[in-house]
């Protein structure tokens, strides 16, 4: 297992500065959303081959792998113009991700937080978008990694399995597993059972995990927390990781400098130590 971070949690920096910083912070990998991570790149339209070469060289020099080229797009939006932009941008990022040496290009399936009815309404648009983006993924031989989120059209395990069956291409369709984005009712959910069900069903598609923790106050407002100090229970994930005989990337999201070192230790233990569950 290798440990990384969502790079723009450290703010927007120059290419060389960010690569050196991540090395000094003892990460092995980074998820890069280029317009959020680097000065001089303010949108996906700004990306050039020169940028990609500079990033590739700087990150290789500092020993930082790029498991995920992040391009989170509104794939399920009913507005055809919004959806068209999302599909076209993702197709470009698949080609750029190949040039950069990333392992996958990652996306969620919507931007706004949707109601259950909206998720059902947006689902057919999401499926159409995924099929169109997958054409480019196959052509470029660059995997697309979808991230299920309970408030998006790719909302649950059943829908995820439906997409997997629809596409039928394990080499080019992968998953980013973020357990915290699937935990709708932390007070009543048997997390051990839920994460075991997910990983037993689709674990072979998971190369990347986002690791984070959170709490809900009296008003149920989301509050990021240090790993192990919120509602998340990672025992089932840890047990699954022990059984893997391939590279799995654990990427910290919502990094906070106040407890970044403790979070690194938590992730290393998650991947290496025997689960207490």
């Amino acid at each position: 297992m290798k440990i990384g971070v969502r790079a723009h949690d450290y703010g927007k920096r120059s290419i060389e500065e960010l690569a050196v910083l991540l090395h000094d912070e003892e990460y092995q990998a980074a998820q890069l959303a280029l317009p959020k991570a680097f000065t001089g790149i303010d949108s996906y339209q700004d990306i050039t081959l020169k940028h990609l070469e500079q990033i590739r060289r700087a990150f290789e020099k500092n020993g930082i792998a790029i498991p995920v080229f992040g391009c989170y797009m509104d794939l399920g939006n009913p507005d055809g113009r919004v959806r068209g932009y999302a599909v076209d941008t993702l197709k470009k990022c698949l080609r750029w991700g190949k040039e950069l040496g990333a392992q996958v290009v990652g996306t969620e399936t919507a931007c706004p937080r949707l109601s259950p009815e909206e998720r059902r309404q947006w689902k057919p648009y999401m499926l159409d978008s995924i099929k169109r983006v997958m054409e480019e993924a196959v052509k470029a031989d660059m995997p697309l990694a979808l991230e299920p989120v309970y408030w998006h059209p790719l909302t649950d395990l059943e829908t995820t399995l439906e997409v997997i069956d629809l596409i039928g291409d394990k080499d080019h369709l992968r998953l980013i597993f973020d357990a915290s984005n699937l935990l709708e009712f932390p007070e009543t959910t048997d997390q051990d059972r839920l994460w075991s069900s997910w990983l037993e069903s689709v674990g072979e598609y998971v190369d990347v995990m986002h690791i984070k923790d959170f709490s809900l106050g009296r008003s149920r407002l989301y509050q990021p927390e240090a790993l192990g100090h919120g509602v998340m229970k990672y025992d089932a994930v840890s047990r699954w990781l022990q059984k893997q005989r391939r590279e799995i990337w654990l990427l910290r999201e919502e990094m906070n400098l106040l407890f970044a070192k403790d979070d690194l230790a938590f992730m290393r233990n998650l991947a290496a130590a025997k689960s207490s569950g």
Side-chain angles (χ1 to χ4, degrees):
M1 311 303 159
K2 292 192 176 179
I3 308 298
V5 69
R6 185 174 63 181
H8 63 264
D9 285 350
Y10 280 93
K12 199 164 182 173
R13 298 169 183 266
S14 71
I15 292 170
E16 184 67 31
E17 180 188 6
L18 184 55
V20 170
L21 173 62
L22 295 178
H23 172 271
D24 291 347
E25 291 291 303
E26 300 181 3
Y27 293 107
Q28 300 167 297
Q31 175 165 325
L32 296 181
L34 273 59
K36 295 181 178 181
F38 299 115
T39 54
I41 303 177
D42 295 321
S43 71
Y44 288 100
Q45 286 69 38
D46 292 337
I47 297 172
T48 66
L49 290 177
K50 183 178 179 181
H51 287 136
L52 298 177
E53 178 65 14
Q54 289 174 335
I55 295 167
R56 186 184 63 78
R57 289 191 176 190
F59 277 65
E60 282 183 356
K61 177 182 176 182
N62 287 279
I64 305 296
I66 306 171
V68 182
F69 185 120
C71 179
Y72 282 39
M73 289 284 129
D74 215 358
L75 291 179
N77 199 300
D79 186 321
R81 291 172 298 178
V82 173
R83 201 165 64 255
Y85 169 79
V87 168
D88 290 344
T89 303
L90 259 178
K91 286 183 174 182
K92 291 176 184 175
C93 286
L94 285 163
R95 297 192 293 270
W96 290 333
K98 185 79 170 183
E99 189 75 23
L100 192 59
Q103 294 213 353
V104 301
V105 171
T107 186
E108 294 176 355
T109 57
C111 291
R113 197 176 189 96
L114 305 176
S115 68
E117 180 58 30
E118 287 172 324
R119 294 171 219 164
R120 288 189 288 270
Q121 292 172 352
W122 286 41
K123 179 180 173 181
Y125 300 111
M126 172 196 73
L127 294 175
D128 178 70
S129 294
I130 291 171
K131 286 190 289 185
R132 291 194 284 148
V133 174
M134 284 302 301
E135 293 173 358
E136 186 64 34
V138 172
K139 188 184 301 183
D141 193 23
M142 184 68 200
L144 175 72
L146 298 175
E147 183 176 340
V149 180
Y150 81 76
W151 60 88
H152 286 169
L154 193 63
T155 186
D156 53 22
L157 180 55
E158 180 182 3
T159 308
T160 302
L161 288 168
E162 182 180 344
V163 170
I164 286 172
D165 290 341
L166 175 70
I167 300 303
D169 185 347
K170 190 167 73 170
D171 291 334
H172 296 103
L173 180 67
R174 308 301 293 169
L175 297 175
I176 296 172
F177 183 73
D178 186 332
S180 69
N181 283 351
L182 297 166
L183 186 59
E184 186 171 5
F185 304 109
E187 299 92 341
T188 57
T189 297
D190 182 342
Q191 292 188 47
D192 200 89
R193 182 177 179 181
L194 182 60
W195 309 142
S196 293
S197 178
W198 268 93
L199 293 169
E200 288 168 7
S201 298
V202 300
E204 62 185 319
Y205 287 83
V206 174
D207 302 311
V208 176
M209 289 188 168
H210 287 165
I211 307 296
K212 56 182 186 274
D213 208 341
F214 68 96
S215 61
L216 296 174
R218 291 181 180 177
S219 56
R220 292 189 61 80
L221 292 178
Y222 182 96
Q223 175 62 46
E225 301 287 355
L227 298 179
H229 291 266
V231 301
M232 292 300 302
K233 300 183 187 304
Y234 280 106
D235 277 351
V237 172
S238 182
R239 289 196 302 270
W240 182 81
L241 287 168
Q242 308 311 312
K243 299 176 183 178
Q244 303 312 301
R245 296 296 178 264
R246 59 190 176 90
E247 201 74 86
I248 307 292
W249 302 86
L250 305 183
L251 304 182
R252 177 67 165 115
E253 282 197 319
E254 301 173 347
M255 184 281 308
N256 187 320
L257 286 171
L258 293 176
F259 38 78
K261 295 299 183 185
D262 289 340
D263 285 348
L264 268 171
F266 182 97
M267 288 194 290
R268 288 170 181 146
N269 288 334
L270 191 66
K274 293 297 183 183
S275 168
S276 61

